[in-house]
Amino acid sequence: MAGNLRSLKPQNKLVDFCSNDYLGFAGSPVLQNKVEEEIKNNGKGSTGSTGSRLLSGNSDYALALEGYIASQHQCEAALLFNSGYDANLGLFSSLPQRGDTIITDELIHASIIDGARLSYANRYTFKHNDLQALEDKLKQAKGNCYVAIESVYSMDGDTPPIAEILNMADKYNAHLIVDEAHAVGLYGLGLIDKTLKYSIFARIVTFGKALGCHGAVVLGSALLKEYLVNFARSFIYTTAAPLHQLAAVKMAYGLLLESADQAQLLEQNILHFKQSIKDNESYPLIRSDSGIQCIVLKSNEKAKLLAQILQNNGLDVRPILSPTVPAESERIRICLHSFNTKNEITLLTDIINGFINE
């Protein structure tokens, strides 16, 4: 046995350097109060939606929320899903057809991999953030071609050259799909800015990271939304979200627009962390400007050992082991937040520096 059997662990009271709650929205009393008030103003609702949206689970509130989110991201339409996994599974399993091609970055999220596997399309991966490797695959593409990337990669925290990838996709008449799960919050409403948004075929935004809620949305054209309503099985055959979940998403968007100070605190914490970590060629820090910072320890045993030392000192840091990441890239994954203090970050970096430089 490799000793990597997964198990569910209870919550702890350690300092959070683990969760995706980048701006502290999940535990925010301000957000909770806003949600309670919104529910009161909309007839309180029921504890469940009672069915899928194509049967009994749709509501005027859900439709209005999709319109609101689409307007916030300045796109034509939005379709709600119950999770980011469901959104990617539904999009990639239903959109590409037999004879089409899906090309993904080699570090793309498992939900996109699973969705692509369920399609009948040809599938290729390209070396992480490598434009030449992408072009090599684009030259092999047949049928309608879809290129999938993340704007901030969940396991490395880095950002691809989005504009250059979009230009490359356009050169070969391919459609670019961008998962913005880990960009929203730190980078406002994401990294797809005004100069790029009209050329992006689809975007996926999840609500369980910086927005502190649950669920996801696919952003794109009205035609794409209509297609997914009819063919995305993870949308069609699942019970819709209840009012409470929808209200939380709407209020979180409103709070995000008022949270420039929290985003600035997060940026300052990221800078403090990067300035405090000592360089070590044997155990490198992956280059990242996001809230995700990773130190590659190159073995499951070292990653687990350092994580345990940090936890013993009151800091909740988790190891990321192979096969979740490729062998020789095992690491500790550190999630920084607006609410982490400078002293907490200093304690974190002091322990890491002592471990990797001993």
Side-chain angles (χ1 to χ4, degrees), residues 21-279:
D21 187 24
Y22 300 116
L23 301 179
F25 279 20
S28 167
V30 174
L31 180 55
Q32 291 172 10
N33 290 337
K34 286 178 177 288
V35 173
E36 290 176 5
E37 188 65 26
E38 179 73 1
I39 292 172
K40 288 179 182 177
N41 292 337
N42 285 274
K44 295 188 177 180
S46 59
T47 57
S49 67
T50 76
S52 72
R53 288 186 65 190
L54 288 172
L55 294 177
S56 59
N58 197 30
S59 66
D60 291 337
Y61 194 95
L63 293 169
L65 178 60
E66 287 172 335
Y68 170 73
I69 292 173
S71 68
Q72 291 300 311
H73 290 277
Q74 298 182 50
C75 69
E76 193 171 296
L79 183 65
L80 292 165
F81 284 79
N82 283 354
S83 70
Y85 187 94
D86 282 346
N88 280 325
L89 198 73
L91 178 64
F92 285 92
S93 64
S94 67
L95 184 62
Q97 302 297 303
R98 192 183 302 275
D100 291 340
T101 302
I102 304 170
I103 302 174
T104 65
D105 188 287
E106 64 180 349
L107 299 186
I108 204 73
H109 194 268
S111 57
I112 295 177
I113 295 172
D114 290 353
R117 284 173 175 168
L118 289 172
S119 78
Y120 293 103
N122 304 302
R123 305 190 307 275
Y124 299 106
T125 61
F126 65 96
K127 185 178 179 181
H128 184 50
N129 290 342
D130 188 319
L131 290 171
Q132 184 58 57
L134 171 59
E135 184 166 26
D136 291 343
K137 295 299 189 295
L138 283 165
K139 290 177 180 178
Q140 303 175 46
K142 298 177 181 179
N144 293 311
C145 181
Y146 303 92
V147 176
I149 62 172
E150 297 178 46
S151 56
V152 172
Y153 280 89
S154 59
M155 284 296 124
D156 281 29
D158 62 339
T159 296
I162 300 173
E164 290 85 348
I165 290 174
L166 177 59
N167 289 336
M168 184 72 71
D170 286 345
K171 178 180 177 181
Y172 290 90
N173 297 313
H175 306 291
L176 183 60
I177 300 174
V178 183
D179 189 326
E180 288 257 72
H182 292 274
V184 171
L186 175 58
Y187 303 106
L189 289 172
L191 279 169
I192 305 305
D193 63 21
K194 294 179 181 179
T195 62
L196 297 174
K197 63 185 176 65
Y198 293 115
S199 301
I200 304 295
F201 180 81
R203 286 175 274 168
I204 301 93
V205 172
T206 61
F207 309 140
K209 278 74 174 178
L211 289 171
C213 303
H214 184 71
V217 69
V218 173
L219 305 169
S221 67
L223 180 60
L224 175 63
K225 177 177 180 177
E226 183 180 9
Y227 181 89
L228 293 175
V229 167
N230 283 276
F231 294 102
R233 294 168 71 87
S234 61
F235 172 84
I236 297 168
Y237 298 107
T238 192
T239 300
L243 175 62
H244 186 279
Q245 182 173 325
L246 302 178
V249 171
K250 182 180 179 182
M251 294 300 101
Y253 263 91
L255 185 59
L256 181 61
L257 300 177
E258 304 168 2
S259 297
D261 290 347
Q262 294 303 109
Q264 187 174 22
L265 284 173
L266 175 53
E267 289 181 5
Q268 292 170 357
N269 284 344
I270 293 167
L271 180 62
H272 179 57
F273 173 86
K274 294 175 68 174
Q275 290 175 338
S276 301
I277 282 287
K278 295 179 180 177
D279 291 330

